[in-house]
Every structure is written in structure tokens, then in C-alpha cells.
Amino acid sequence: MNVCYNENIFKARMKDTVIILDAPLMLSILGLKTEGENRVAQEFLQVLPSEVKLHYFQHNFKELDSIIRSYMHQRQLGGKYIHTLEFFDEKDSSIEDIELFSLQLDKKLRCHNITEYPKEIPIEEQYFIDEKGLAEELKEKIPSYKNNEKALEIDIDTISYINRLRRGASSRSIEKCKVIFITNNHNLVHVSNKFLGFTHDIGCSMSEIDFTILMWLKNSKKNSSVPKDILVANAMAATEEVTENFIASFNSELIFLLLPLNCCAGFG
């Protein structure tokens, strides 16, 4: 009875929480990346309370479609891939198959209950972040952004939108933050949250691994197999070099994640 009661409290507090997904994570949710990356994404979906809504901003969807089409065109030209989509490689998919997948992208996302964010983004100037400063910080700390200005712009826009939707408010509870950007770019999470001053609060962004672990800690009875599964998935993903310095980043983010839980154990 107590377990059920706690689960109901948790679900009630997560009601109307919005998660914005980035394009690389959506690739894994769609099963297009490596086995390890895809499995981490599935663990993330498994722990989500039904009350949580999954969305993307229009620029996230355009990035997702652009990655798939870029891969398709590189396949046509026979050149080196900027973005490798392992699912299509393993299936030896034809250009026509990839084109069809791209045309059905919106439908495929809806099958996972992922849709475009339906509301307007607040435009009050006081809720805008220092986008130029964040861009410089990200390029300094994450060299890959120097050669990919478009990805940098999209990630900054997403974080800026999140802060505006929150109206600049911060929270130490995942249940109260109500909107958050979930990404598999651990370096982006670490650098951007630190730049914006989210030292002990839930930042504008969180990695899918950290979010999965947090959901399990909040509702472990329902998701009893997650610790074992995510350890396996993380090990697979790490050997596939999902991100630079994956293990170091994961360990540092996990320590940061667990610190506030000591102060707010349970559900509040």
C-alpha cells in the first residue's frame, strides 16, 4: 500500500512535466544508432511516468531530419559520413528506404508519443540568457562546436527556450522544474549548467542517463531492473565512444546528481 501511495504521489508531482528531446537522442529512440546508444534511450523511455510529455522544438526536428538526409546524401556520393546511422549501415538500407524513413519521421516520432512543443515561447527580455557568452564558453570547452556552428546554435536556442519557459526560475526538485532539455551530450549539460549558475539546482538540461537514474531513485519499485540494464547499456555505449571522455563525464555528472538527493530524500 505504501509503495502504491508513494508511486501515486510521484506521478501526481510529475504531472504536466515537459521533456524537450535533442536530435541525437531522438535518433537513438528511433533505433538508428549503435546497440548501446539505442538501449540507453530505451531505458530512458522505460522509467518515464506516463504523466510526462515528450516534445521537441521545431529546430530540433529540423536538425534530426537534416542528420538523416545528410547521411543519405553522403551514401549517394560514397563519401565519408559526418553522421553515421548504424541501423541503416547494418541493414544495408537503400537510398529509397532512407528517404521513406525521413518522409515518415513525424509519424515515427508520434509512435513514441513525441510531438512538437505546442505552445509559444515567452519573449520577455528578463528571461533571456547570455547566448553569446554561452556560445563562447561552449566553443572553448567543447572543441567540436568550433566546426559545427549550426549544432551550437540549435543547442543554445534550446537551452534559451527552456529558461524562458521556466521564466528564469530554478528548482532543486525534478518534480517542480516542469520543463527540461534531455540530451545525450554530457559535455553540453555540464558546461551550460555551470555557465548558467545551476550548481545545486536542476539545470535547464540533463543527460538521459542522469534522468533515467533519477527516475529510478524516485520510483525504484516499479523499475527494479533498471540499474542492471543501464549499467550494461552504459558499458556498451562507452565502448562505442558515444561521447568524448564518456566515463569521466558520467561519473562527474552522477556525483552532482546525487548530492541534492541527500537533502531532499523521498518525494519532495
Side-chain angles (χ1 to χ4, degrees):
M1 179 66 72
N2 186 52
V3 171
C4 182
Y5 175 71
N6 286 342
E7 182 180 340
N8 289 336
I9 291 177
F10 176 63
K11 286 184 175 181
R13 291 182 177 180
M14 290 296 290
K15 185 179 180 181
D16 297 327
T17 295
V18 169
I19 288 177
I20 301 297
L21 301 169
D22 76 342
L25 179 54
M26 286 191 282
L27 287 173
S28 296
I29 289 174
L30 291 170
L32 299 181
K33 294 299 293 177
T34 66
E35 184 180 354
E37 291 172 280
N38 296 343
R39 187 165 175 179
V40 169
Q42 291 307 309
E43 296 299 336
F44 162 73
L45 293 178
Q46 178 186 329
V47 300
L48 285 177
S50 58
E51 289 74 10
V52 173
K53 302 182 186 303
L54 296 176
H55 291 300
Y56 51 79
F57 296 132
Q58 188 177 53
H59 58 252
N60 304 122
F61 182 87
K62 287 181 177 179
E63 181 184 21
L64 176 64
D65 185 57
S66 176
I67 291 172
I68 296 173
R69 290 189 173 277
S70 175
Y71 168 85
M72 179 178 66
H73 292 319
Q74 289 162 29
R75 279 276 299 270
Q76 287 176 311
L77 297 173
K80 183 179 179 180
Y81 302 163
I82 298 175
H83 300 287
T84 300
L85 300 179
E86 288 80 359
F87 173 81
F88 295 135
D89 290 341
E90 293 170 4
K91 298 293 185 181
D92 195 23
S93 301
S94 67
I95 298 300
E96 291 74 18
D97 289 336
I98 302 170
E99 172 72 18
L100 180 61
F101 191 100
S102 179
L103 291 173
Q104 296 178 339
L105 193 53
D106 178 71
K107 179 181 178 180
K108 290 182 179 296
L109 288 172
R110 287 200 307 272
C111 289
H112 293 281
N113 296 314
I114 303 170
T115 57
E116 184 174 358
Y117 185 72
K119 299 180 182 179
E120 295 292 327
I121 308 299
I123 58 174
E124 293 91 337
E125 290 186 8
Q126 67 265 35
Y127 303 131
F128 280 64
I129 63 172
D130 178 7
E131 296 185 6
K132 183 177 180 180
L134 178 57
E136 293 302 317
E137 186 76 3
L138 288 171
K139 284 192 288 186
E140 178 183 346
K141 299 294 176 59
I142 308 175
S144 60
Y145 278 123
K146 294 179 181 179
N147 300 318
N148 197 339
E149 291 283 343
K150 188 61 179 177
L152 176 64
E153 178 185 344
I154 289 170
D155 289 339
I156 289 175
D157 282 347
T158 302
I159 291 170
S160 178
Y161 283 11
I162 296 292
N163 194 67
R164 286 154 63 182
L165 286 168
R166 289 184 177 185
R167 299 188 179 275
S170 61
S171 172
R172 292 195 177 187
S173 167
I174 192 69
E175 297 95 326
K176 293 180 180 179
C177 76
K178 291 305 177 185
V179 58
I180 189 167
F181 175 44
I182 301 296
T183 174
N184 54 16
N185 188 335
H186 304 263
N187 297 320
L188 169 64
V189 172
H190 177 73
V191 175
S192 62
N193 283 341
K194 184 177 180 180
F195 178 84
L196 295 173
F198 292 105
T199 306
H200 300 296
D201 297 330
I202 301 295
C204 287
S205 59
M206 182 181 289
S207 76
E208 88 284 23
I209 293 175
D210 289 348
F211 188 86
T212 300
I213 293 171
L214 183 55
M215 290 297 99
W216 178 81
L217 289 170
K218 294 282 188 176
N219 199 19
S220 59
K221 296 296 183 181
K222 178 182 177 182
N223 306 296
S224 58
S225 66
V226 167
K228 176 186 68 177
D229 292 343
I230 201 169
L231 282 173
V232 172
N234 288 342
M236 293 171 63
T239 60
E240 293 158 351
E241 298 181 346
V242 177
T243 61
E244 297 177 5
N245 305 316
F246 179 89
I247 296 298
S249 175
F250 172 66
N251 287 339
S252 63
E253 290 296 327
L254 181 58
I255 291 172
F256 164 77
L257 175 67
L258 292 177
L259 283 175
L261 291 177
N262 294 328
C263 302
C264 51
F267 296 91

